[in-house]
Amino acid sequence: MNKPVEVQATALTGAEAVVEMLKAHGVEVIFGLCGDTSLPLYDALARMPHGIRHILTRDERHAAYMADGYARVTGKVGVCEGPSGGGATYILPGLVEANESSVPILAINTDVSVSSRGKFTLTELDQRALMKPLTKWNAVLDRAADIPRTLRAAFEAMTTGRPGAAHLALPFDVQNGPVERSDVWADPTLGSFPSRRTGPDPFFVELAAKLLRKAQNPLFICGGGVVISGAEHELLSLSERLCAPVATTISGKGAIDERCAHSAGVVGSNGGTRETRAIVDAADVVVFAGCRAGSVTTERWRHPAPGSAKIIHIDVDPAVPGRNYQVDVPLVGDARLCLASLNEVLDNYRREGDLTFVDAKKREKFEAFDALARSDDVPIKPERVVAELNRILDKDTILVADPGTPCPYFSAFYQVSGAGRRFFSNRAHGALGYAMAASMGAHIGRPGVKTVAVMGDGSFGMCVGELETAVRLKLPITFVVISNAVYGWIKAGQKTGYGQRYFSVDFGVTDHAKVAEAFGVRAFRATDPARLGEMLKQSLSHSGPTLVDIVCQPLHEARAPVSEWVA
Ligand SMILES: Cc1ncc(C[n+]2csc(CCOP(=O)(O)OP(=O)(O)O)c2C)c(N)n1
């Protein structure tokens, strides 16, 4: 292995320059896992006065999920790192999710030395080719002198336009090479997102306003872009002005306080219900905002039905409006600036209307839910779990939901009070096992509020190792496991779409509370619905990590939030 080289007083080592550049961009936390090729970087982190906290994780996938959860709740770039070879292939799932969810995370994988390339060196891997299709920006460094400008480019790419993930490969010998101190500088505003916002074309703002003035039943469908850009205030003003309901995607939860009259809740095939679908179908003008109008939100582009409503599409990415629906007005720009421009142009306008229909549909939806949520049936119904948490959780709580039962049920029925990021799920790829690590990153980003992660037992099996991290760091997070010994969402698909020909979806029962206890987590196992609330309260008030294992009715036996599974 190469020895660190002596560098002159006017120069830093490459590893030191990386640390300085992260600091200059306002990075406060790095999530990651050590390896041979990372030794110079770790040594720089150990030696230097930088104030950056390093969180040692138990695998790189979870380091990336932690960086993702951290970024979502702080609005700052999340940073994760890992070594070469397996460190790169393991970090990749978290990078893809963040990139597709427009969450800026920077992953740094150290790499074999430039001088060792092409010699069958252990862990050698083409990181450039591997990461290219999965990130917004990526690079492999060849010399230390390129470190400052490369990191500046990475932060700029991650936080401007549609935010996304970046990957940097940092070879061993590059970490030891010289970097001029005078070259180490940054624009710290690029450490947060969205940076360098761009506004819409006034011509299209006028056109959109004209359409909205004529609308009989305008409706907003908001995605994560509204929350990312912090456009909640502008959205509420506009929806009040137009007397228009605001529906959201799952990632858009938090765009509006879900307890307010204008909120229509989550729509689509993973969290929408028949009632929310009826609200979409009644619209004559739909404003998609910060939302890609993808397959889940629109139930495979059927709600709204093409041609049934005029479409105004707001998105920061010019490639989004018109991709899935014929758009009447494309508004390209930052969601907050676009909505603010519409408010300005519609300054003297107020639509007379009422929200009776929306209110009636919401009532219908919650009447059906409440009846099930009150049930004392065993195994415990998913609705009961959601209702108990709705009742108990403080309004500032951050709830992270995994796929399986948690995502559709909590999207549909868990009501976010107040606007802003308080709920999220990994909606881009929906990989099981995201919530535990993402909740840990979220807690580190926003330590003053309670954080709860809800996962299926399928997910638990994919992330359990990180319980050690939670215990080591004494993170006061409550992990809720929906335990049903089945890949329930898929079994439900086999029930509704394949004549109940169940195949290879059931697995064995695990006592997750006992597993958690073995890690040192305070744990509870809930089988009696009458005691569930008390157990959750106890776990939430504990000062360290807790886990509540809830023996639940499997999804294929429960009333699903939507009548149809849509692939
Ligand atoms: C990594 C990964 N593999 C497979 C899937 C496909 N998948 C979607 S939901 C699901 C079942 C989830 O099971 P579980 O976590 O036990 O929750 P449940 O549906 O039973 O509530 C599966 C396998 C996935 N989303 N992610």
Side-chain angles (χ1 to χ4, degrees):
M1 198 172 279
N2 297 356
K3 287 265 183 311
V5 291
E6 290 297 320
V7 289
Q8 295 166 359
T10 55
L12 298 164
T13 66
E16 287 168 348
V18 169
V19 176
E20 288 292 356
M21 286 303 294
L22 294 178
K23 199 171 115 187
H25 283 99
V27 173
E28 291 170 348
V29 193
I30 303 174
F31 304 91
L33 204 163
C34 50
D36 304 60
T37 50
S38 306
L39 285 168
L41 178 63
Y42 271 56
D43 193 48
L45 286 165
R47 282 186 286 106
M48 294 170 67
H50 46 69
I52 300 176
R53 186 175 173 199
H54 186 270
I55 305 286
L56 175 66
T57 68
R58 299 303 300 272
D59 90 45
E60 293 83 352
R61 175 164 56 108
H62 296 120
Y65 287 160
M66 285 181 208
D68 170 321
Y70 173 88
R72 289 189 204 230
V73 305
T74 58
K76 295 182 65 169
V77 171
V79 179
C80 54
E81 58 84 21
S84 54
T89 54
Y90 275 29
I91 218 162
L92 182 147
L95 260 185
V96 189
E97 175 59 43
N99 193 47
E100 289 299 312
S101 291
S102 308
V103 175
I105 69 170
L106 169 66
I108 300 175
N109 279 108
T110 55
D111 202 358
V112 299
S113 287
V114 175
S115 58
S116 308
R117 284 184 189 157
K119 297 180 174 175
F120 310 116
T121 308
L122 181 72
T123 76
E124 186 175 5
L125 172 75
D126 186 348
Q127 293 192 32
R128 193 192 311 270
L130 179 70
M131 302 298 180
K132 187 160 180 49
L134 309 171
T135 51
K136 185 174 178 196
W137 181 99
N138 79 313
V140 177
L141 283 158
D142 296 328
R143 48 181 210 135
D146 294 336
I147 288 172
R149 70 171 176 82
T150 307
L151 276 162
R152 285 192 286 270
F155 276 86
E156 190 223 294
M158 282 187 285
T159 62
T160 57
R162 182 172 93 81
H167 182 267
L168 185 64
L170 182 62
F172 186 90
D173 48 6
V174 170
Q175 295 173 61
N176 291 325
V179 178
E180 276 301 318
R181 269 179 203 277
S182 59
D183 209 11
V184 175
W185 54 266
D187 171 357
T189 64
L190 294 175
S192 300
F193 64 102
S195 67
R196 302 184 183 170
R197 296 173 190 258
T198 51
D201 180 337
F203 170 79
F204 286 113
V205 176
E206 289 290 347
L207 221 56
K210 208 166 145 193
L211 212 57
L212 288 169
R213 279 198 188 92
K214 281 199 224 140
Q216 298 296 313
N217 279 316
L219 165 77
F220 289 90
I221 302 182
C222 297
V226 171
V227 185
I228 287 172
S229 79
E232 299 89 351
H233 174 73
E234 287 74 8
L235 173 69
L236 187 63
S237 303
L238 191 58
S239 64
E240 284 176 348
R241 181 187 306 288
L242 297 168
C243 194
V246 176
T248 75
T249 69
I250 296 164
S251 302
K253 237 171 139 70
I256 188 164
D257 182 334
E258 288 185 308
R259 293 184 193 256
C260 88
H262 291 76
S263 168
V266 169
V267 294
S269 57
N270 203 310
T273 64
R274 283 178 209 92
E275 296 82 9
T276 54
R277 183 189 287 161
I279 296 172
V280 174
D281 291 345
D284 66 339
V285 174
V286 171
V287 184
F288 286 112
C291 153
R292 293 193 283 181
S295 61
V296 170
T297 303
T298 61
E299 300 187 55
R300 286 193 71 81
W301 310 286
R302 290 183 299 206
H303 305 279
S308 68
K310 299 273 186 205
I311 306 283
I312 299 170
H313 202 146
I314 298 172
D315 205 279
V316 74
D317 181 349
V320 168
R323 177 73 68 96
N324 290 330
Y325 283 91
Q326 189 177 350
V327 165
D328 294 280
V329 186
L331 273 187
V332 175
D334 172 76
R336 192 165 91 193
L337 298 187
C338 288
L339 292 169
S341 300
L342 281 171
N343 271 319
E344 240 174 76
V345 172
L346 289 167
D347 190 26
N348 296 320
Y349 180 73
R350 262 202 113 75
R351 194 178 78 88
E352 292 303 319
D354 67 54
L355 296 164
T356 327
F357 179 67
V358 176
D359 187 53
K361 286 291 154 199
K362 279 191 331 196
R363 271 175 212 278
E364 256 175 61
K365 167 177 151 177
F366 277 98
E367 265 161 30
F369 168 79
D370 288 342
L372 295 162
R374 276 193 298 271
S375 161
D376 283 328
D377 284 359
V378 174
I380 297 170
K381 288 197 182 298
E383 288 86 355
R384 178 89 186 219
V385 180
V386 183
E388 295 286 359
L389 284 169
N390 249 336
R391 190 169 59 80
I392 297 167
L393 291 180
D394 191 77
K395 82 189 242 308
D396 293 329
T397 303
I398 299 167
L399 194 143
V400 190
D402 256 325
T405 304
C407 184
Y409 276 88
F410 281 80
S411 297
F413 305 116
Y414 176 74
Q415 289 191 293
V416 173
S417 314
R421 180 76 76 208
R422 287 169 166 79
F423 173 97
F424 62 93
S425 186
N426 50 332
R427 288 315 304 158
H429 287 252
L432 303 181
Y434 164 85
M436 183 183 285
S439 72
M440 290 162 66
H443 168 76
I444 286 161
R446 215 186 273 175
V449 304
K450 189 76 203 175
T451 301
V452 175
V454 188
M455 67 201 77
D457 42 5
S459 278
F460 181 85
M462 297 200 192
C463 62
V464 52
E466 292 301 334
L467 284 179
E468 185 281 321
T469 311
V471 171
R472 177 166 26 91
L473 300 176
K474 301 187 180 64
L475 305 180
I477 300 173
T478 295
F479 304 111
V480 175
V481 182
I482 306 282
S483 182
N484 53 22
V486 61
Y487 287 123
W489 178 261
I490 306 303
K491 190 163 186 173
Q494 291 178 346
K495 178 185 180 188
T496 53
Y498 292 85
Q500 302 190 30
R501 284 186 297 283
Y502 297 132
F503 177 74
S504 212
V505 281
D506 296 293
F507 49 82
V509 175
T510 301
D511 186 333
H512 305 99
K514 280 206 178 118
V515 174
E517 274 164 5
F519 278 94
V521 172
R522 173 103 192 267
F524 305 79
R525 187 165 165 83
T527 50
D528 176 4
R531 295 197 51 222
L532 176 63
E534 196 42 48
M535 273 183 190
L536 285 168
K537 270 192 196 156
Q538 274 187 44
S539 72
L540 290 162
S541 62
H542 184 62
S543 59
T546 54
L547 182 140
V548 186
D549 188 27
I550 307 176
V551 180
C552 252
Q553 182 188 33
L555 228 166
H556 68 284
E557 289 172 10
R559 174 194 182 267
V562 284
S563 56
E564 217 177 338
W565 263 252
V566 185

